[in-house]
Amino acid sequence: MTPIALDFSNMVVQNLDQGGIDPDRLERDLAERFSAAHDTVEASRISGAAGFFDLPYASEELDRTQQIADGLKGRFDDLVILGIGGSAMGTRTLRDALLGPTWNARSLAERKGRPRIHVLDNVDPDAVTDLVERLDPSRTLFNVVSKSGATAETMALFLVMEGLLIDEFGKEQAREHFVFTTDPKRGPLRSIAEAEGIRSLPIPENVGGRFSVLSAVGLFPAILAGLDGAALLAGAAEADEYCRTAVLMDNPAGLIATLLHTAHVDAGASIHVMMPYSERLRSFAFWFQQLWAESLGKANDRSGNIVHAGPTPLPAVGVTDQHAQVQLFIEGPRDKVVMFLGLNSSQRDIEIGTHRASLPAAAYLGGQKMGHLLDSERKATAEALRRKGRPNMTFELEQLDAATLGELFMLMSIATVYAGALYDVNPLDQPGVELGKHLTYRLMGREGYDPPDW
Ligand code: PA5
């Protein structure tokens, strides 16, 4: 397996007319700053606070997940994930990247008997009804995913589906259509699972939602859909190994965090664009957005001072956004770093037709591979940005398989906790989200929460 290659030449001062980083600093002050951040992160790994570091090695959990998925094989045509935020976005990314964005439109035979995967992460009644109307309840499995087991949106979706199933099949039968993925000890979903014998999988106590894709949260749907859970974890383990060093120049996650943080604090590049050149990786850009935003956008630093820190992550997709957002990236405010994700080999390439040889606007394309066009457009956009002094970097993926995606998830998760240390915030909590949740409980009349005062 070839590790993901990082090209940051378009971030350095020699290649940008302004705002570039002096590469010597990567071996001087930025290396020292990173070394301190590395110590902070290593301490959180050792204390167990950052439990996601252990996920690639959790072979017992993988076996248990595999066992439950194997037991359900062939019984369901549709798998519906009921969850939100970190409990949903990883699964959508896994589905789109490894099965393809059109997986749900494929026939049962094309899917080799594996279920369609739907991710319900909104309480929009139209969207819920649209999906429910297309499901055969007798052939549908609902995976309720919530670390806390109490999030209002997930609880509401669970209650809707439970109501439908109980009405149709009665309570005994209904429970066969659920798998809960939740905290191993605490929370309402855990209590229900234990009291009623509903199948359940654990999210380790020290793993938060947005860092949980490599736990049963992502593994269960992935394995049920026939993906290789062991390969996902092996790729993640590889990233963990090559990101262990405190030497900045040898640590890709450290470089990503350092380059983005430095571009922000030294040159005002507070918007961090994730731009894959691949439809399969569109959802990955949104997964990254949630991870970066919720981990780094914080009111307080780690000493409790008010800082209101955090970069703004922005998803974009090549080539589509070349005709939407790239104009802004090239000529708008100098407040962005663009991260390109390039795939060196397309799953299935297409040769462009040759029937318009006499039309100059078409002839040059004829006979070339579409993948080559995609790749050329990515390289051209990176170079156009560079020529206009706009910092950008490129991640090159040799292929898009379970191992590479596992590696990418882990690489960006580690970069996020390094960035947390560099911004001096706690990347593992989300107090702002909690406030919104509590105010929702109040508006919806949950016991123990005072009526709203506005
Ligand atoms: O990353 C996070 O911690 C959040 O986005 C949560 O995943 C989200 O708020 C849902 O919470 P829960 O999994 O407890 O339902």
Side-chain angles (χ1 to χ4, degrees), residues 262-284:
T262 306
H264 183 180
V265 297
D266 289 4
S270 62
I271 299 179
H272 298 164
V273 181
M274 175 58 77
M275 189 165 181
Y277 272 63
S278 159
E279 278 301 324
R280 284 180 176 244
L281 288 171
R282 181 183 283 271
S283 304
F284 175 79

Side-chain angles (χ1 to χ4, degrees), residues 160-315:
V160 166
M161 303 310 169
E162 182 189 49
L164 293 174
L165 290 168
I166 291 178
D167 288 351
E168 184 109 3
F169 308 118
K171 206 162 179 186
E172 285 297 298
Q173 273 289 315
R175 84 163 64 109
E176 293 304 309
H177 292 261
F178 286 106
V179 172
F180 290 175
T181 308
T182 190
D183 188 278
K185 294 193 186 133
R186 275 184 285 276
L189 285 181
R190 177 55 55 200
S191 308
I192 299 173
E194 277 167 17
E196 300 181 17
I198 292 176
R199 280 185 203 87
S200 68
L201 287 159
I203 307 173
E205 282 180 283
N206 56 357
V207 176
R210 58 194 175 277
F211 292 94
S212 69
V213 61
L214 297 167
S215 72
V217 169
L219 288 175
F220 174 68
I223 293 171
L224 201 64
L227 296 172
D228 187 343
L232 258 173
L233 298 191
E238 182 152 339
D240 179 40
E241 294 303 328
Y242 69 62
C243 291
R244 281 206 185 205
T245 173
V247 179
L248 176 58
M249 286 303 285
D250 296 336
N251 188 324
L255 281 168
I256 295 164
T258 298
L259 291 165
L260 291 172
H261 173 257
T262 306
H264 183 180
V265 297
D266 289 4
S270 62
I271 299 179
H272 298 164
V273 181
M274 175 58 77
M275 189 165 181
Y277 272 63
S278 159
E279 278 301 324
R280 284 180 176 244
L281 288 171
R282 181 183 283 271
S283 304
F284 175 79
F286 286 87
W287 174 86
F288 169 76
Q289 179 187 42
Q290 195 245 349
L291 179 69
W292 205 243
E294 214 168 89
S295 302
L296 304 179
K298 297 290 153 75
N300 299 102
D301 67 14
R302 282 178 299 172
S303 314
N305 305 307
I306 301 280
V307 287
H308 296 296
T312 300
L314 181 66

Side-chain angles (χ1 to χ4, degrees), residues 4 12 36 93 100 132 143 146 154 174 191 226 248 257 278 282 315 350 355 375-377 415 421 454:
I4 294 163
V12 301
T93 305
V132 166
N143 183 200
S146 175
T154 306
S191 308
L248 176 58
S278 159
R282 181 183 283 271
I350 298 172
H355 293 288
D375 221 33
S376 302
E377 296 214 30
W454 72 84

Side-chain angles (χ1 to χ4, degrees), residues 84-87 145-149 151 154 208-210 290 294 430 433 437:
I84 195 162
S87 291
V145 186
S146 175
K147 176 72 193 302
S148 62
T151 303
T154 306
R210 58 194 175 277
Q290 195 245 349
E294 214 168 89
Q430 55 285 325
V433 179
K437 284 188 185 182

